[in-house]
Amino acid sequence: MKDDVLYHFNLGTSSHNLPAMFGDVKFVCVAGSPLRMKEFNEYIAGVLGLEDPDSNYPNICEGTDRYAMYKVGPVLSVSHGIGVPSTSIMLHELIKLLHHARCTDVTVIRIGTSGGIGLEPGTVVVTKQAVDAQFMPRFEQVILGKTVVRSTNLDHGLAEELLRCGEEMNQFDTVIGNTMCAMDFYEGQARLDGAFCFYTEKDKQEYLAKASEAGVRNIEMESTVFAAMCELSGLRAAVVCVTILDRLKGDQVNSSNEVLHNYMQRPQILVGHLIKKQLSVSGKP
Ligand code: R2B
Ligand code: URA
């Protein structure tokens, strides 16, 4: 293409010098919420000693309210919204952006929230395998009217390294396990508190018990498409989600905002530790 418009980022190859803007990116952190990405950008600036008192860290995607993007040094932070379609659109444009910017050796990490299965709320789960709602390690998408099945492998070495970072820091529980990606927050995650519910508490518990037998430790809404698209494009990838409730005990998210905010910082702290460690090994920054 002579010109490539990354429509949902409000960026393009003719309108922006993508290699100059993004060529040094080595880590991309993604999460659902634009505000969490802004916070993470400021947090990682501090961790890496790259705070700039003169910068208020502008949103690089200003001009669109679809996604938000921030950058400090070699770390790019991008929001993806809720669920598979929103995440898939963001990843298509992110992968093209990294390609146009001629980035090399990039690691992409999703930091998010999730519902835990039999875990104390606040536990951080590093994903071993992203699975669908039938506990299969696959991402299915209808393309040209046909169902295309893609694998959802993540980088095992990176997951192990994240687990080691959790042990080193010893600030909160960090475990490794499978993550179930649901297409919905309510019925798709066996909740009883949606607008509709045509099953019982017993049905819910049986389903979650089957998930647990399949190694599922937490449930969220993006991991399969994230794993599949990163694998397809050769990006090293990991998923790190904090559990904000134990789904065996309930469905409502009713912790205070302070508690939730504290939980949400945990994946950021873990990933911040990993990035600092990996950059100091490579001698940058
Ligand atoms: C976790 O939290 C969001 C739903 O509340 C969703 O984006 C996810 O994966
Ligand atoms: N995000 C989810 O998708 N599910 C939960 O239960 C909590 C956060």
Side-chain angles (χ1 to χ4, degrees):
M1 276 182 286
K2 208 161 109 283
D3 182 18
D4 189 9
V5 175
L6 306 177
Y7 167 58
H8 301 87
F9 285 165
N10 199 30
L11 296 171
T13 51
S14 292
S15 51
H16 297 80
N17 182 346
L18 299 179
M21 290 172 75
F22 300 104
D24 62 342
V25 168
K26 294 294 173 202
F27 291 91
V28 184
C29 294
V30 304
S33 126
L35 198 60
R36 216 183 309 148
M37 285 293 83
K38 185 174 166 56
E39 269 179 28
F40 179 73
N41 182 68
E42 281 158 30
Y43 173 72
I44 199 75
V47 168
L48 300 180
L50 296 174
E51 301 104 322
D52 179 356
D54 297 331
S55 173
N56 59 354
Y57 300 114
N59 173 7
I60 300 168
C61 292
E62 217 184 15
T64 171
D65 58 3
R66 295 298 187 185
Y67 303 108
M69 183 186 286
Y70 301 90
K71 182 177 180 297
V72 61
V75 184
L76 187 68
S77 301
V78 195
S79 68
H80 57 58
I82 293 185
V84 163
S86 177
T87 302
S88 140
I89 294 163
M90 189 284 281
L91 286 174
H92 271 286
E93 295 185 15
L94 173 68
I95 291 162
K96 292 203 292 175
L97 181 153
L98 296 173
H99 171 77
H100 292 313
R102 298 193 279 277
C103 297
T104 54
D105 199 22
V106 177
T107 298
V108 190
I109 305 181
R110 167 169 144 70
I111 48 177
T113 57
S114 61
I117 301 185
L119 295 171
E120 193 59 36
T123 304
V124 172
V125 180
V126 176
T127 304
K128 185 177 193 180
Q129 180 81 65
V131 300
D132 67 11
Q134 293 174 315
F135 322 130
M136 300 296 286
R138 66 184 174 199
F139 172 63
E140 292 187 337
Q141 188 178 6
V142 176
I143 301 175
L144 300 181
K146 297 197 180 81
T147 301
V148 173
V149 184
R150 289 180 177 152
S151 56
T152 55
N153 297 313
L154 292 158
D155 190 295
H156 285 306
L158 182 60
E160 293 294 337
E161 183 58 30
L162 282 158
L163 199 62
R164 257 196 304 280
C165 287
E167 283 160 12
E168 271 165 31
M169 290 191 308
N170 198 23
Q171 284 183 30
F172 39 76
D173 289 336
T174 305
V175 300
I176 190 162
N178 294 343
T179 295
M180 180 181 122
C181 177
M183 296 296 153
D184 168 46
F185 187 80
Y186 290 100
E187 291 171 285
Q189 297 188 23
R191 278 188 154 79
L192 301 158
D193 63 339
F196 316 106
C197 180
F198 302 102
Y199 44 85
T200 63
E201 166 77 29
K202 185 167 168 281
D203 297 333
K204 166 193 157 178
Q205 292 295 342
E206 281 173 9
Y207 178 66
L208 294 184
K210 281 197 192 120
S212 182
E213 277 162 33
V216 173
R217 312 297 299 272
N218 65 337
I219 305 175
E220 47 78 271
M221 300 181 61
E222 295 85 14
S223 57
T224 52
V225 71
F226 174 82
M229 289 182 72
C230 290
E231 189 184 353
L232 209 54
S233 48
L235 286 162
R236 194 183 308 119
V239 176
V240 181
C241 290
V242 69
T243 62
I244 57 172
L245 77 167
D246 180 357
R247 289 299 318 290
L248 300 183
K249 297 194 176 141
D251 296 330
Q252 295 256 300
V253 180
N254 48 22
S255 299
S256 68
N257 286 341
E258 285 78 8
V259 168
L260 290 176
H261 193 251
N262 174 289
Y263 289 168
M264 285 174 199
Q265 284 175 331
R266 295 179 178 189
Q268 301 188 15
I269 295 169
L270 187 64
V271 169
H273 187 87
L274 174 108
I275 292 177
K276 187 168 170 67
K277 206 169 147 184
Q278 296 210 337
L279 287 175
S280 59
V281 169
S282 71
K284 291 185 233 159

